[in-house]
Coordinates of all heavy atoms in Angstrom, one line a residue:
M1 N 32.7 -1.1 -3.6 CA 32.4 -0.1 -4.7 C 31.3 0.8 -4.2 O 30.3 0.3 -3.7 CB 32.0 -0.9 -6.0 CG 31.8 0.0 -7.1 SD 31.6 -1.0 -8.6 CE 31.8 0.2 -9.9
C2 N 31.5 2.1 -4.4 CA 30.5 3.1 -4.0 C 29.2 2.8 -4.7 O 29.2 2.7 -6.0 CB 31.0 4.5 -4.3 SG 29.9 5.8 -3.9
Q3 N 28.1 2.8 -4.0 CA 26.7 2.6 -4.6 C 26.0 4.0 -4.9 O 24.8 4.1 -4.7 CB 25.9 1.8 -3.7 CG 26.4 0.3 -3.6 CD 25.5 -0.5 -2.7 OE1 25.3 -0.2 -1.5 NE2 24.9 -1.5 -3.2
S4 N 26.8 5.0 -5.3 CA 26.2 6.3 -5.6 C 25.1 6.1 -6.7 O 24.1 6.9 -6.7 CB 27.2 7.3 -6.1 OG 27.8 6.8 -7.3
D5 N 25.2 5.1 -7.5 CA 24.2 4.9 -8.6 C 22.8 4.6 -7.9 O 21.8 4.9 -8.4 CB 24.6 3.8 -9.6 CG 24.9 2.5 -8.9 OD1 25.4 2.5 -7.8 OD2 24.6 1.5 -9.5
V6 N 22.8 3.9 -6.8 CA 21.6 3.5 -6.1 C 21.0 4.8 -5.5 O 19.8 4.9 -5.5 CB 21.9 2.5 -5.0 CG1 20.6 2.2 -4.2 CG2 22.4 1.2 -5.6
V7 N 21.8 5.7 -5.0 CA 21.3 6.8 -4.2 C 21.0 8.0 -5.2 O 20.0 8.6 -5.1 CB 22.3 7.3 -3.1 CG1 21.8 8.5 -2.4 CG2 22.6 6.1 -2.2
W8 N 22.0 8.3 -6.1 CA 21.9 9.5 -6.9 C 21.7 9.2 -8.4 O 21.5 10.1 -9.2 CB 23.1 10.4 -6.8 CG 23.2 11.0 -5.4 CD1 22.6 12.2 -5.0 CD2 24.0 10.6 -4.3 NE1 22.9 12.5 -3.7 CE2 23.8 11.5 -3.3 CE3 24.8 9.5 -4.1 CZ2 24.3 11.4 -2.0 CZ3 25.4 9.4 -2.8 CH2 25.2 10.3 -1.8
G9 N 21.9 7.9 -8.8 CA 21.6 7.5 -10.2 C 22.8 7.7 -11.1 O 22.7 7.7 -12.3
Y10 N 24.0 7.9 -10.6 CA 25.2 7.9 -11.4 C 26.3 7.2 -10.8 O 26.4 7.0 -9.6 CB 25.6 9.4 -11.7 CG 26.1 10.2 -10.4 CD1 27.4 10.1 -10.0 CD2 25.2 11.0 -9.7 CE1 27.8 10.8 -8.9 CE2 25.5 11.7 -8.6 CZ 26.8 11.6 -8.2 OH 27.2 12.3 -7.1
K11 N 27.2 6.6 -11.6 CA 28.4 5.9 -11.1 C 29.4 6.8 -10.5 O 29.7 7.9 -11.0 CB 29.0 5.1 -12.3 CG 30.0 4.1 -11.9 CD 30.5 3.4 -13.1 CE 31.7 2.5 -12.7 NZ 32.3 1.7 -13.6
C12 N 29.9 6.3 -9.4 CA 30.9 7.1 -8.6 C 32.2 7.3 -9.4 O 32.8 6.3 -9.8 CB 31.1 6.5 -7.2 SG 32.3 7.4 -6.2
P13 N 32.7 8.5 -9.6 CA 33.9 8.7 -10.3 C 35.1 8.7 -9.3 O 36.3 8.8 -9.7 CB 33.8 10.1 -10.9 CG 32.9 10.8 -9.9 CD 32.0 9.8 -9.3
L14 N 34.9 8.6 -8.0 CA 35.9 8.7 -7.0 C 36.5 7.3 -6.6 O 36.1 6.7 -5.6 CB 35.4 9.4 -5.8 CG 34.7 10.7 -6.1 CD1 34.0 11.3 -4.8 CD2 35.7 11.8 -6.6
T15 N 37.4 6.8 -7.5 CA 37.8 5.4 -7.3 C 38.9 5.3 -6.2 O 39.2 4.2 -5.8 CB 38.4 4.9 -8.6 OG1 39.5 5.8 -9.1 CG2 37.3 4.9 -9.7
E16 N 39.5 6.4 -5.8 CA 40.6 6.3 -4.8 C 40.1 6.3 -3.3 O 40.8 6.2 -2.4 CB 41.6 7.4 -5.0 CG 42.2 7.4 -6.4 CD 43.0 6.1 -6.7 OE1 43.7 5.6 -5.8 OE2 42.9 5.6 -7.8
E17 N 38.8 6.6 -3.1 CA 38.3 6.7 -1.8 C 38.0 5.4 -1.1 O 37.6 4.4 -1.8 CB 37.0 7.6 -1.8 CG 37.3 9.0 -2.4 CD 36.6 10.1 -1.7 OE1 35.9 9.8 -0.7 OE2 36.7 11.2 -2.1
S18 N 38.1 5.4 0.2 CA 37.7 4.2 0.9 C 36.1 4.1 0.9 O 35.4 5.1 0.8 CB 38.2 4.3 2.4 OG 37.7 5.4 3.0
I19 N 35.7 2.9 1.1 CA 34.2 2.6 1.1 C 33.7 2.4 2.5 O 34.4 1.7 3.3 CB 33.9 1.4 0.2 CG1 34.4 1.5 -1.2 CG2 32.4 1.1 0.2 CD1 33.8 2.7 -1.9
E20 N 32.6 3.1 2.8 CA 32.0 3.0 4.2 C 30.6 2.5 4.1 O 29.9 2.8 3.1 CB 32.0 4.4 4.8 CG 33.4 5.0 4.9 CD 33.4 6.5 5.3 OE1 32.3 7.1 5.3 OE2 34.4 7.0 5.7
S21 N 30.2 1.8 5.1 CA 28.8 1.3 5.2 C 28.0 2.4 5.8 O 28.4 3.1 6.8 CB 28.8 0.0 6.1 OG 27.4 -0.4 6.2
D22 N 26.8 2.6 5.3 CA 25.9 3.6 5.9 C 24.5 3.1 6.0 O 24.1 2.1 5.3 CB 25.9 4.9 5.0 CG 25.3 6.1 5.6 OD1 25.1 6.1 6.9 OD2 24.9 7.0 4.9
H23 N 23.7 3.7 6.8 CA 22.2 3.4 6.8 C 21.6 4.1 5.7 O 21.7 5.3 5.5 CB 21.6 3.9 8.1 CG 22.1 3.2 9.4 ND1 23.4 3.4 9.8 CD2 21.5 2.4 10.2 CE1 23.5 2.6 10.9 NE2 22.4 2.0 11.2
F24 N 20.8 3.4 4.8 CA 20.1 4.0 3.7 C 19.1 5.0 4.3 O 19.0 6.1 4.0 CB 19.5 3.0 2.8 CG 19.4 3.4 1.4 CD1 19.5 2.5 0.4 CD2 19.2 4.7 1.0 CE1 19.4 2.8 -0.9 CE2 19.0 5.1 -0.3 CZ 19.1 4.1 -1.3
F25 N 18.2 4.4 5.1 CA 17.3 5.3 5.9 C 18.0 5.7 7.1 O 18.5 4.9 7.9 CB 16.0 4.5 6.3 CG 14.9 5.4 6.8 CD1 13.9 5.8 6.0 CD2 14.9 5.9 8.1 CE1 12.9 6.6 6.4 CE2 13.9 6.7 8.6 CZ 12.9 7.1 7.7
P26 N 18.3 7.0 7.3 CA 19.3 7.5 8.3 C 19.0 7.0 9.7 O 17.9 6.9 10.2 CB 19.1 9.0 8.3 CG 18.5 9.3 6.9 CD 17.7 8.1 6.6
R27 N 20.1 6.6 10.3 CA 20.1 6.1 11.7 C 19.5 7.2 12.6 O 18.7 6.9 13.6 CB 21.5 5.7 12.1 CG 21.5 5.2 13.5 CD 22.9 4.8 13.9 NE 23.0 4.4 15.3 CZ 24.1 4.4 15.9 NH1 25.3 4.7 15.4 NH2 24.2 4.0 17.2
A28 N 19.9 8.4 12.4 CA 19.4 9.6 13.2 C 17.9 9.7 13.2 O 17.3 10.3 14.1 CB 20.1 10.8 12.7
L29 N 17.3 9.1 12.1 CA 15.8 9.2 12.0 C 15.2 7.9 12.3 O 14.0 7.7 11.9 CB 15.5 9.8 10.6 CG 16.0 11.1 10.3 CD1 15.7 11.5 8.9 CD2 15.5 12.2 11.3
G30 N 15.9 7.0 12.9 CA 15.3 5.7 13.3 C 15.6 4.5 12.4 O 15.0 3.5 12.6
G31 N 16.4 4.7 11.4 CA 16.7 3.6 10.5 C 17.5 2.5 11.2 O 18.5 2.8 11.9
P32 N 17.0 1.3 11.1 CA 17.7 0.2 11.8 C 19.0 -0.3 11.2 O 19.2 0.0 10.0 CB 16.6 -0.9 11.8 CG 15.9 -0.7 10.5 CD 15.9 0.8 10.3
A33 N 19.8 -0.9 12.0 CA 21.1 -1.5 11.5 C 20.8 -2.9 11.0 O 21.2 -3.9 11.7 CB 22.1 -1.5 12.6
I34 N 20.1 -3.0 9.9 CA 19.9 -4.4 9.3 C 20.3 -4.3 7.8 O 20.4 -3.2 7.3 CB 18.4 -4.8 9.4 CG1 17.5 -3.7 8.7 CG2 18.0 -5.0 10.8 CD1 16.0 -4.1 8.7
G35 N 20.6 -5.5 7.3 CA 21.2 -5.5 5.9 C 20.3 -4.8 4.9 O 20.9 -4.2 3.9
T36 N 19.0 -4.9 5.0 CA 18.2 -4.3 4.0 C 18.2 -2.7 4.0 O 17.7 -2.1 3.1 CB 16.7 -4.7 4.1 OG1 16.2 -4.5 5.4 CG2 16.6 -6.2 3.8
N37 N 18.8 -2.2 5.1 CA 18.9 -0.7 5.3 C 20.4 -0.3 5.1 O 20.8 0.7 5.6 CB 18.4 -0.3 6.6 CG 18.2 1.2 6.6 OD1 17.8 1.9 5.6 ND2 18.5 1.8 7.8
Q38 N 21.2 -1.1 4.5 CA 22.6 -0.8 4.3 C 22.9 -0.4 2.9 O 22.4 -0.9 1.9 CB 23.4 -2.1 4.7 CG 24.9 -1.9 4.7 CD 25.6 -3.1 5.0 OE1 25.3 -4.2 4.5 NE2 26.6 -3.0 5.9
V39 N 23.8 0.6 2.8 CA 24.3 1.0 1.5 C 25.8 1.3 1.7 O 26.2 1.8 2.7 CB 23.5 2.3 1.0 CG1 23.7 3.5 1.9 CG2 23.9 2.6 -0.4
W40 N 26.6 1.0 0.7 CA 28.0 1.2 0.7 C 28.4 2.4 -0.1 O 28.0 2.5 -1.3 CB 28.8 0.0 0.2 CG 28.6 -1.2 1.0 CD1 27.7 -2.2 0.9 CD2 29.4 -1.6 2.2 NE1 27.8 -3.1 1.9 CE2 28.9 -2.7 2.7 CE3 30.5 -1.0 2.8 CZ2 29.4 -3.4 3.8 CZ3 31.0 -1.6 3.9 CH2 30.5 -2.8 4.4
L41 N 29.0 3.4 0.5 CA 29.3 4.7 -0.2 C 30.8 5.0 0.1 O 31.3 4.7 1.2 CB 28.4 5.8 0.3 CG 26.9 5.6 0.1 CD1 26.2 6.7 0.8 CD2 26.6 5.7 -1.4
C42 N 31.4 5.7 -0.9 CA 32.7 6.3 -0.6 C 32.6 7.4 0.4 O 31.5 7.8 0.7 CB 33.3 6.8 -1.9 SG 32.6 8.3 -2.5
R43 N 33.7 7.8 1.0 CA 33.7 8.8 2.1 C 33.0 10.1 1.7 O 32.1 10.6 2.4 CB 35.1 9.0 2.6 CG 35.2 9.9 3.7 CD 36.6 10.0 4.3 NE 36.7 10.8 5.4 CZ 36.3 10.5 6.7 NH1 35.8 9.3 6.9 NH2 36.4 11.3 7.7
T44 N 33.2 10.5 0.5 CA 32.6 11.8 0.0 C 31.1 11.6 -0.1 O 30.3 12.5 0.4 CB 33.2 12.2 -1.3 OG1 34.6 12.4 -1.1 CG2 32.5 13.4 -1.9
H45 N 30.7 10.6 -0.8 CA 29.2 10.4 -0.9 C 28.5 10.1 0.4 O 27.4 10.5 0.6 CB 28.9 9.3 -1.9 CG 29.0 9.7 -3.4 ND1 29.9 9.2 -4.3 CD2 28.4 10.7 -4.0 CE1 29.7 9.8 -5.5 NE2 28.8 10.7 -5.3
N46 N 29.2 9.4 1.3 CA 28.6 9.2 2.6 C 28.4 10.5 3.3 O 27.4 10.7 4.0 CB 29.6 8.3 3.4 CG 28.9 7.6 4.6 OD1 27.7 7.8 4.8 ND2 29.6 6.9 5.4
Q47 N 29.4 11.4 3.2 CA 29.2 12.7 3.9 C 28.1 13.5 3.2 O 27.4 14.3 3.9 CB 30.5 13.5 3.8 CG 31.6 12.8 4.8 CD 32.9 13.4 4.6 OE1 33.2 14.1 3.6 NE2 33.8 13.2 5.6
W48 N 28.0 13.4 1.9 CA 27.0 14.2 1.2 C 25.6 13.7 1.6 O 24.7 14.5 1.8 CB 27.1 14.0 -0.3 CG 28.2 14.7 -1.0 CD1 29.1 15.5 -0.4 CD2 28.5 14.7 -2.4 NE1 30.0 16.0 -1.3 CE2 29.6 15.5 -2.5 CE3 28.0 14.1 -3.5 CZ2 30.2 15.7 -3.8 CZ3 28.5 14.3 -4.7 CH2 29.7 15.1 -4.8
K49 N 25.4 12.4 1.8 CA 24.1 11.8 2.1 C 23.6 12.2 3.4 O 22.5 12.6 3.6 CB 24.2 10.3 2.0 CG 22.9 9.6 2.2 CD 23.0 8.1 2.1 CE 21.8 7.4 2.7 NZ 21.8 7.7 4.2
G50 N 24.5 12.1 4.4 CA 24.1 12.5 5.8 C 22.8 11.9 6.2 O 22.5 10.8 6.0
S51 N 21.9 12.7 6.8 CA 20.6 12.3 7.2 C 19.5 12.8 6.3 O 18.4 13.0 6.7 CB 20.4 12.7 8.6 OG 21.2 12.1 9.5
D52 N 19.8 13.0 5.0 CA 18.9 13.6 4.1 C 18.0 12.5 3.6 O 18.4 11.5 2.9 CB 19.6 14.2 3.0 CG 18.7 15.0 2.1 OD1 17.5 14.9 2.2 OD2 19.3 15.8 1.3
L53 N 16.7 12.6 3.8 CA 15.7 11.6 3.3 C 15.3 11.8 1.8 O 14.6 11.0 1.3 CB 14.4 11.6 4.1 CG 14.5 10.9 5.5 CD1 13.2 11.1 6.2 CD2 14.8 9.4 5.3
M54 N 15.8 12.9 1.2 CA 15.5 13.1 -0.2 C 16.1 12.0 -1.1 O 15.5 11.7 -2.1 CB 16.2 14.4 -0.6 CG 15.5 15.7 -0.1 SD 13.9 16.0 -0.9 CE 14.4 16.4 -2.5
H55 N 17.1 11.3 -0.6 CA 17.7 10.3 -1.4 C 17.1 8.9 -1.2 O 17.5 7.9 -1.8 CB 19.2 10.2 -1.1 CG 19.9 11.6 -1.2 ND1 19.8 12.3 -2.4 CD2 20.5 12.4 -0.3 CE1 20.5 13.4 -2.2 NE2 20.8 13.5 -1.0
Y56 N 16.2 8.7 -0.2 CA 15.7 7.4 0.0 C 14.8 7.0 -1.1 O 13.9 7.8 -1.6 CB 14.9 7.4 1.4 CG 14.6 6.0 1.8 CD1 15.6 5.2 2.4 CD2 13.4 5.4 1.5 CE1 15.4 3.9 2.8 CE2 13.2 4.1 1.8 CZ 14.1 3.3 2.5 OH 13.9 2.0 2.8
P57 N 14.9 5.8 -1.6 CA 14.1 5.4 -2.8 C 12.6 5.0 -2.4 O 12.3 3.9 -2.4 CB 14.9 4.2 -3.3 CG 15.5 3.6 -2.1 CD 15.8 4.7 -1.2
W58 N 11.8 6.0 -2.2 CA 10.4 5.8 -1.8 C 9.6 5.1 -2.8 O 8.6 4.4 -2.5 CB 9.8 7.1 -1.4 CG 10.4 7.7 -0.2 CD1 11.2 8.8 -0.1 CD2 10.3 7.3 1.2 NE1 11.6 9.1 1.2 CE2 11.0 8.2 2.0 CE3 9.6 6.2 1.8 CZ2 11.2 8.0 3.4 CZ3 9.7 6.1 3.2 CH2 10.5 7.0 3.9
E59 N 10.1 5.2 -4.1 CA 9.3 4.5 -5.2 C 9.4 3.0 -5.0 O 8.6 2.3 -5.6 CB 9.9 4.9 -6.5 CG 11.3 4.5 -6.8 CD 12.4 5.4 -6.3 OE1 12.1 6.3 -5.5 OE2 13.6 5.2 -6.6
R60 N 10.3 2.5 -4.2 CA 10.3 1.0 -3.9 C 9.4 0.6 -2.8 O 9.3 -0.5 -2.5 CB 11.7 0.6 -3.5 CG 12.8 0.9 -4.6 CD 14.1 0.4 -4.1 NE 15.2 0.9 -5.0 CZ 16.4 0.8 -4.7 NH1 16.8 0.3 -3.6 NH2 17.3 1.3 -5.5
G61 N 8.7 1.6 -2.2 CA 7.8 1.3 -1.1 C 8.4 1.6 0.2 O 9.7 1.7 0.3
A62 N 7.6 1.8 1.2 CA 8.1 2.0 2.6 C 8.7 0.7 3.1 O 8.2 -0.4 2.9 CB 7.0 2.5 3.4
P63 N 9.8 0.9 3.9 CA 10.4 -0.3 4.5 C 9.5 -0.9 5.5 O 8.7 -0.2 6.1 CB 11.7 0.2 5.1 CG 11.6 1.6 5.2 CD 10.6 2.1 4.1
E64 N 9.6 -2.3 5.7 CA 8.6 -3.0 6.6 C 8.8 -2.5 8.0 O 7.8 -2.7 8.8 CB 8.8 -4.5 6.5 CG 10.3 -5.0 6.7 CD 10.6 -5.3 8.1 OE1 9.7 -5.5 8.9 OE2 11.8 -5.3 8.4
W65 N 9.9 -2.0 8.4 CA 10.1 -1.6 9.8 C 9.7 -0.1 10.1 O 9.7 0.3 11.2 CB 11.6 -1.8 10.2 CG 12.5 -1.3 9.1 CD1 13.2 -2.1 8.2 CD2 12.9 0.0 8.8 NE1 13.9 -1.3 7.4 CE2 13.8 0.0 7.7 CE3 12.6 1.3 9.4 CZ2 14.3 1.1 7.2 CZ3 13.2 2.4 8.8 CH2 14.0 2.3 7.8
L66 N 9.3 0.6 9.1 CA 9.0 2.0 9.2 C 7.9 2.3 10.2 O 8.0 3.2 11.0 CB 8.7 2.7 7.9 CG 8.6 4.2 7.9 CD1 9.9 4.9 8.5 CD2 8.3 4.8 6.5
D67 N 6.8 1.6 10.1 CA 5.7 1.9 11.1 C 6.1 1.7 12.5 O 5.7 2.5 13.4 CB 4.5 0.9 10.8 CG 3.7 1.4 9.5 OD1 3.9 2.5 9.1 OD2 2.9 0.6 9.0
R68 N 6.9 0.7 12.8 CA 7.4 0.4 14.2 C 8.3 1.6 14.6 O 8.2 2.0 15.8 CB 8.2 -0.9 14.3 CG 7.3 -2.1 14.1 CD 8.1 -3.4 14.5 NE 9.4 -3.5 13.8 CZ 9.5 -4.1 12.6 NH1 8.5 -4.6 12.0 NH2 10.7 -4.2 12.1
Q69 N 9.1 2.1 13.7 CA 10.0 3.2 14.1 C 9.2 4.5 14.3 O 9.5 5.2 15.3 CB 11.1 3.4 13.0 CG 12.1 2.3 12.8 CD 12.9 2.1 14.1 OE1 12.8 1.0 14.7 NE2 13.6 3.0 14.5
I70 N 8.3 4.7 13.5 CA 7.4 5.9 13.7 C 6.7 5.8 15.0 O 6.6 6.8 15.8 CB 6.4 6.1 12.5 CG1 7.2 6.5 11.3 CG2 5.4 7.1 12.9 CD1 6.4 6.5 10.0
E71 N 6.2 4.6 15.4 CA 5.5 4.4 16.7 C 6.5 4.7 17.8 O 6.1 5.3 18.8 CB 4.9 3.0 16.7 CG 4.2 2.7 18.1 CD 3.1 3.6 18.4 OE1 2.6 4.4 17.6 OE2 2.7 3.6 19.6
R72 N 7.7 4.2 17.7 CA 8.7 4.4 18.8 C 9.0 5.9 19.0 O 9.0 6.4 20.1 CB 10.0 3.7 18.4 CG 10.0 2.2 18.7 CD 11.4 1.6 18.5 NE 12.4 2.3 19.2 CZ 13.7 2.5 18.8 NH1 14.0 2.0 17.7 NH2 14.5 3.2 19.5
M73 N 9.1 6.6 17.8 CA 9.4 8.0 17.9 C 8.2 8.8 18.5 O 8.3 9.7 19.3 CB 9.7 8.5 16.5 CG 11.1 8.0 16.0 SD 11.4 8.3 14.3 CE 11.9 10.0 14.4
R74 N 7.0 8.4 18.1 CA 5.8 9.0 18.6 C 5.7 8.9 20.2 O 5.5 9.9 20.9 CB 4.5 8.4 18.0 CG 3.2 9.1 18.5 CD 2.0 8.3 18.0 NE 1.8 7.1 18.7 CZ 1.3 6.9 19.9 NH1 0.8 7.9 20.5 NH2 1.2 5.7 20.4
V75 N 6.0 7.7 20.7 CA 6.0 7.5 22.1 C 7.1 8.2 22.8 O 6.8 8.8 23.9 CB 6.1 5.9 22.4 CG1 6.3 5.7 23.9 CG2 4.8 5.2 21.9
L76 N 8.2 8.3 22.2 CA 9.3 9.1 22.8 C 9.0 10.6 22.9 O 9.3 11.2 23.9 CB 10.6 8.9 22.0 CG 11.3 7.5 22.2 CD1 12.4 7.4 21.1 CD2 11.9 7.4 23.6
I77 N 8.4 11.1 21.9 CA 8.1 12.5 21.8 C 6.9 12.8 22.8 O 7.1 13.8 23.6 CB 7.7 12.9 20.3 CG1 9.0 12.8 19.5 CG2 7.2 14.4 20.3 CD1 8.7 12.9 18.0
D78 N 5.8 12.1 22.6 CA 4.7 12.4 23.5 C 3.7 11.2 23.4 O 3.0 11.1 22.3 CB 4.0 13.7 23.1 CG 2.9 14.0 24.1 OD1 2.5 13.2 24.9 OD2 2.3 15.1 23.9
P79 N 3.6 10.3 24.4 CA 2.7 9.2 24.3 C 1.3 9.6 24.0 O 0.5 8.7 23.6 CB 2.9 8.4 25.6 CG 4.2 8.9 26.1 CD 4.4 10.3 25.6
A80 N 0.9 10.8 24.4 CA -0.5 11.2 24.2 C -0.8 11.7 22.8 O -2.0 11.9 22.5 CB -0.8 12.4 25.2
L81 N 0.2 11.8 21.9 CA 0.0 12.2 20.6 C -0.9 11.1 19.9 O -0.7 9.9 20.0 CB 1.3 12.3 19.8 CG 2.1 13.5 20.0 CD1 3.5 13.3 19.2 CD2 1.4 14.7 19.5
P82 N -1.9 11.6 19.2 CA -2.8 10.6 18.5 C -2.0 10.0 17.3 O -1.2 10.7 16.7 CB -4.0 11.5 18.0 CG -3.4 12.9 17.9 CD -2.3 13.0 19.0
I83 N -2.4 8.8 16.9 CA -1.9 8.2 15.7 C -2.6 8.7 14.5 O -3.8 8.6 14.5 CB -2.0 6.6 15.9 CG1 -1.2 6.1 17.1 CG2 -1.5 6.0 14.6 CD1 -1.4 4.7 17.4
S84 N -1.9 9.2 13.5 CA -2.6 9.6 12.3 C -1.9 8.9 11.1 O -0.8 8.7 11.1 CB -2.6 11.1 12.2 OG -1.2 11.5 12.1
R85 N -2.7 8.7 10.1 CA -2.2 8.0 8.9 C -2.5 8.9 7.7 O -3.5 9.5 7.6 CB -2.8 6.7 8.7 CG -2.5 5.8 9.9 CD -1.5 4.7 9.5 NE -1.1 4.1 10.7 CZ 0.1 3.5 10.9 NH1 0.9 3.5 9.9 NH2 0.4 2.9 12.0
Ligands
LIG101 ZN1 31.2 7.7 -4.3

């Protein structure tokens, strides 16, 4: 069943679509392939979501792996970049 209610706050009306697993925090932005970062969406909602962080539920708090991912990205971009919080 499409979890559009988790992402957009409304029940998915598209009952005929196949369901796909997606990264809640986008993989393209460092979201890991772990169960706590998984969301099931129909094909249409999955395409809508893309890599948009506007839909991530920040009100639930930052995911425990986020600091590690940001550090990995900082090192990949430029190891000399200072760490800022
Ligand atoms: Zn849907």
Side-chain angles (χ1 to χ4, degrees):
M1 187 170 193
C2 178
Q3 294 181 298
S4 65
D5 57 325
V6 174
V7 181
W8 290 278
Y10 63 86
K11 188 175 176 182
C12 181
L14 307 172
T15 57
E16 301 298 317
E17 300 222 3
S18 61
I19 302 299
E20 303 172 344
S21 176
D22 192 18
H23 292 70
F24 209 147
F25 192 98
R27 181 179 174 200
L29 300 176
I34 58 175
T36 55
N37 193 36
Q38 184 181 43
V39 64
W40 293 93
L41 297 171
C42 70
R43 185 170 181 80
T44 297
H45 278 121
N46 198 6
Q47 290 172 342
W48 285 2
K49 183 179 159 297
S51 293
D52 190 347
L53 280 178
M54 288 287 292
H55 307 300
Y56 194 81
W58 294 107
E59 67 276 9
R60 297 180 192 171
E64 54 88 19
W65 43 261
L66 186 58
D67 284 346
R68 289 191 310 272
Q69 292 300 118
I70 290 172
E71 176 61 13
R72 280 186 54 214
M73 294 169 79
R74 183 187 69 81
V75 170
L76 285 171
I77 293 167
D78 183 354
L81 281 174
I83 299 172
S84 63
R85 302 252 170 207

